[in-house]
Amino acid sequence: MDTAPALRSIVDPEYLAALVAREYALEVTGCVLLRSLVNDVYRIDTPSGPYAFKLYRTGHNSAEWETSLAAYVGTGLTQGVALQDGRMAGAVQAAEGPRAFTLWEWAPGAKPGRPRTDELYHRFGAATAAFHEASTGFPGPPALDVLTLLDDVLARIPAASDRALIAGLATEAGRRAADPNLERGICHGDVTLDNIHLDGDDLVFYDLDRAAHGIRATDLSPVSATPQWPAFLAGYRTVRPFLDSDVAVLPWLDVLLRVDYLHFHLYAKPAIRGTESLTEGWVEDNLVALRTSATRLR
């Protein structure tokens, strides 16, 4: 446990620059907050190049596991950096309690620009399959059972018709997801181009804080509703099989993802960002998607 004074602010770069310099024996020349939501991510600049410093919410306990997963998978993932004492994760004492931290190699390249071509998605599918293949056999925490969130979600949905629709869809989706024939293994948990850097001909994944052991098809569900889905699936299948039975369950897995998203936007995000975040439209977007799913899945 770090013995320095309590962290004064999540956006206190001076404190964090000193922390990284001390714990990792690095000459830090800059520290900038890149993103603050579920976790806080900073760019750490050094004479040898940048790193990504990740400061987790209080209660997040898989920081070191993420670095172990990255090391197990190897190619195609950014890698964690060890502290001076050899540990892969440390902690600081904040007002809200201990917060874990990790330091990561900076992902080479940059986020893919537009247009988002079929060729890009073909490579994206192949990279996702390569992650699944390389992570096979790695032990991990079980993915969240989204049905445990259902009652809380329904409690904050104002329209009775929407509550009935969500309850029915989620119950059936849970039944479909219980099929023992669906492939299970380590999932990235957030397979989007927001978590990819394009480095020449290579795609590099980062951000493993939603990774867990679950239904592998869940990783493909967000892409399956896009126009680039055929290219993504074809790319995936150049590396490993993806059965037609897995394709068939994708719309039901999307239902479970939408329930998860609703819970995040109704509970976790307002707790982090304030209730004003409820006016940003994300709740309605997911309700619209679920209403559309109800029509399509009849």
Side-chain angles (χ1 to χ4, degrees):
M1 177 69 67
D2 180 62
T3 57
L7 189 62
R8 297 191 296 274
S9 165
I10 63 168
V11 291
D12 185 351
E14 182 181 350
Y15 176 91
L16 292 177
L19 171 73
V20 172
R22 183 179 69 250
E23 297 291 351
Y24 293 93
L26 290 172
E27 180 185 347
V28 177
T29 58
C31 176
V32 178
L33 178 67
L34 299 178
R35 184 180 71 246
S36 178
L37 188 58
V38 175
N39 302 303
D40 306 316
V41 180
Y42 296 79
R43 175 182 170 127
I44 301 293
D45 290 310
T46 75
S48 61
Y51 295 85
F53 180 83
K54 195 169 183 179
L55 184 63
Y56 297 79
R57 272 192 307 178
T58 296
H60 188 102
N61 57 9
S62 67
E64 190 159 3
W65 177 81
E66 292 174 33
T67 64
S68 297
L69 172 60
Y72 184 88
V73 172
T75 303
L77 271 179
T78 56
Q79 297 296 311
V81 178
L83 287 83
Q84 286 199 77
D85 62 10
R87 291 176 300 145
M88 296 304 296
V92 292
Q93 189 64 41
E96 64 272 28
R99 298 184 65 176
F101 64 79
T102 50
L103 187 69
W104 296 82
E105 297 173 348
W106 189 260
K111 288 184 180 181
R114 296 184 183 277
R116 303 285 176 80
T117 63
D118 281 354
E119 190 272 338
L120 171 63
Y121 271 83
H122 189 278
R123 291 162 64 190
F124 187 21
T128 302
F131 171 83
H132 285 170
E133 192 69 20
S135 64
T136 297
F138 190 76
L144 173 71
D145 180 358
V146 174
L147 293 182
T148 63
L149 308 176
L150 182 59
D151 286 346
D152 285 345
V153 169
L154 297 178
R156 293 195 177 179
I157 301 297
S161 58
D162 282 335
R163 292 197 298 271
L165 179 147
I166 293 169
L169 281 175
T171 299
E172 178 61 16
R175 187 185 72 79
R176 303 267 184 143
D179 181 351
N181 295 314
L182 296 175
E183 185 193 6
R184 287 164 170 80
I186 294 294
C187 302
H188 180 279
D190 198 7
V191 174
T192 74
L193 288 176
D194 285 338
N195 292 320
I196 285 280
H197 270 196
L198 179 61
D199 181 33
D201 291 332
D202 298 323
L203 292 177
V204 182
F205 275 102
Y206 55 90
D207 194 2
L208 294 171
D209 55 27
R210 289 180 61 87
H213 190 280
I215 299 170
R216 283 266 172 80
T218 304
D219 269 350
L220 282 69
S221 179
V223 186
S224 67
T226 70
Q228 293 81 17
W229 166 242
F232 182 96
L233 179 59
Y236 189 98
R237 284 172 164 166
T238 64
V239 177
R240 65 194 314 271
F242 192 77
L243 302 178
D244 289 343
S245 56
D246 291 309
V247 174
V249 82
L250 287 171
W252 295 104
L253 296 177
D254 184 69
V255 167
L256 296 177
L257 284 175
R258 297 289 177 180
V259 173
D260 189 11
Y261 296 160
L262 278 172
H263 191 273
F264 174 76
H265 289 294
L266 288 167
Y267 287 90
K269 192 174 181 183
I272 299 167
R273 297 274 292 270
T275 56
E276 190 174 54
S277 68
L278 293 170
T279 67
E280 294 175 349
W282 295 107
V283 172
E284 183 61 24
D285 286 350
N286 283 286
L287 287 175
V288 169
L290 285 167
R291 293 170 194 144
T292 302
S293 293
T295 301
R296 186 173 67 249
L297 292 170
R298 282 176 182 164

